[in-house]
Amino acid sequence: MEFYLNKLSLLKRPSKIIILIIVDFFISIFSLWSSFSLRLGEIYNPLKIDIKLYVILFLIFIVIQLSFKSYHQLSRFFRISSINNLLRNFILLFFCTYLIRLIFFSNIFFPESITLIYPIIFFIISLFKNSLAYNLYYYIYNNSKLFNKRAIFYNFNNKTINYLENINNFNFSICGIVKLSENFLKGYDKKYKIVNENEIEKYIHNEKITDIVISKNNIYENKIFYFRKFLHLNVRVSFLDDLSSARDLSSSKKIFIPKIEDIIEKTKIDDRFEDKVKKNIKNKVILVAGGAGSIGSVLIEKLNELSPKKIIVVDKDEFNIFNLKKRLKESNKFSFELCDTSNKPYIEKIFKQFKPDVVYNAAAYKHVSIVEENPSYASFNNILTAINLCDLSIKYRVKINLLVSTDKAVNPKNIMGMTKRICEKIYHSYSLKLTNDKKFIIVRFGNVAGSKGSVIPLFQKLINQRLDLLVTNKKATRYLMSIREASGLIIKASIFGSNSKTYVLDMGEPINIYTLAYNMIKFNGLSLKDKNNIHGDISIKIIGLRKGEKLHEKLSYKKNLIKTKYNKILLCDEEILSSNFKFKLSKYLSKLNKISNKSISKEEIKKLFKF
């Protein structure tokens, strides 16, 4: 019986839906016959009921179910909301049955009360059926998932012995103990298979091991060490200390969330020039446009560590400002300004009041797909912000103005990348007007892990919910760096960089996103579910590239970047300005007005800003 139940649980959704429809057909027949029997006070002959009633009433019910996709909410998701949806369907069935009786069934025996009794009986039985299916699903799930687990124990010690001697009726098979010390193996070498450490990989493959249980303390460093040690093996890695139910390897006491730096394995940040950086920021007035965003907020935290006189946080998102204020706590050092940086009169008031020494421009719409869907305003905002900040920085004698740019500005394939490329050109154009004691700098880098819209927090959220991870293409790669590392390098580039130069942050080799998804599953102690491991925890699904997305990103137009003496900061020697860009720049303002006054298509915007 259990064998057939397991087979049933492995059926594809269309097959399960067909089975549910067949079951509902027989329930409908029984409900209609029961309705006649209750109404007439006798066991009514089902053959006396018109065949058209059986067929039409059931077809009405199926149409309602399919219209609301009720069969797509399979029994494992049966909850209070499912009962409400089911009740809605049967109320509709009642009204439809009542109307059809009046219009089409006036000539056959079909008592009016049946139109109410039939849906009620059908509803009660369906409720029972769904509840039964729900419990049946979890019976199958618990048996198949738990009894198919084949575990080996690693770091065999007193903790392991205590576990094995005091727990009975394991919901998994103990398939071996990894031999690390002879002291603890006496008496257990006859009961369990002893595996040499250098044979683990072969043994796991041959014996179809699904779990490795670690007896070491479950501190963060140990977890990262063992998750990385067994990263190449598609098995779950769990710690005895984390198991809330000693019989069940799935019952971890809490969700483990690895640090971003451990997932992407970046090198240690170089702190050799920290004193010089602090000297140049200390007692300065700093303005960060887009300061409440993902990058801007961490940039402010890093700047705050360098003892500036004042930090002006400029952002148009009041909720982000509210959250940042809570993180930073109230302080006279900060001034939070709610302002749209594309609105020059408002942003000029801030410049006039505070007279900043250093400006960091992190204010832009950066999410590719959202910018693609809202090209007019996104272009207007990103480009006009750059022009305003450059204009005002010259007018109010700002010493340093740094543009936070992106790898998507290189050979741009989307609106966001195109606007950032234009912003780079604007900064270069304005930089030619500066005196020797002032500088406009561009810093370009790839994806920042942990920022809003970044793939890592999204993957982590899906993993916590045990949902599939979605990857655009198995070959897709992206440059990734932690926000804190990127912010530190941005500040360093602003201090040591030269006017009119573009710097690129060395983000190492681009990371394959499919591999990143797999690694995140593994760093959560879970395993990948695929055709070779059908009892794994989480699948990775390929969904295809979206509009405006590239398979691979570049950080410069040229392959060769010039190393600087500052670790991870590279000089990009590409030619940014064309010979006639200065002439074109004067026309950008009128073009921006054209964008702001009406909604135009992406194609028109691309033609408008073609360079």
Side-chain angles (χ1 to χ4, degrees), residues 156 161 164-165 184-192 194:
F156 196 78
I161 292 172
L164 294 174
E165 288 184 350
F184 291 101
L185 293 179
K186 292 177 182 178
Y188 289 93
D189 52 348
K190 295 178 181 178
K191 191 173 182 180
Y192 301 109
I194 306 303

Side-chain angles (χ1 to χ4, degrees), residues 153 157-160 162-163 213-220 222-223 238-246 249 251-254:
F153 281 79
N157 54 27
N158 284 324
K159 190 183 294 185
T160 323
N162 182 60
Y163 177 80
V213 182
I214 310 293
S215 297
K216 283 272 189 180
N217 292 334
N218 62 342
I219 59 173
Y220 181 87
N222 279 348
K223 287 193 172 185
S238 54
F239 285 71
L240 274 182
D241 291 346
D242 283 340
L243 301 180
S244 57
S245 170
L249 294 180
S251 56
S252 178
K253 292 177 183 175
K254 60 181 179 179

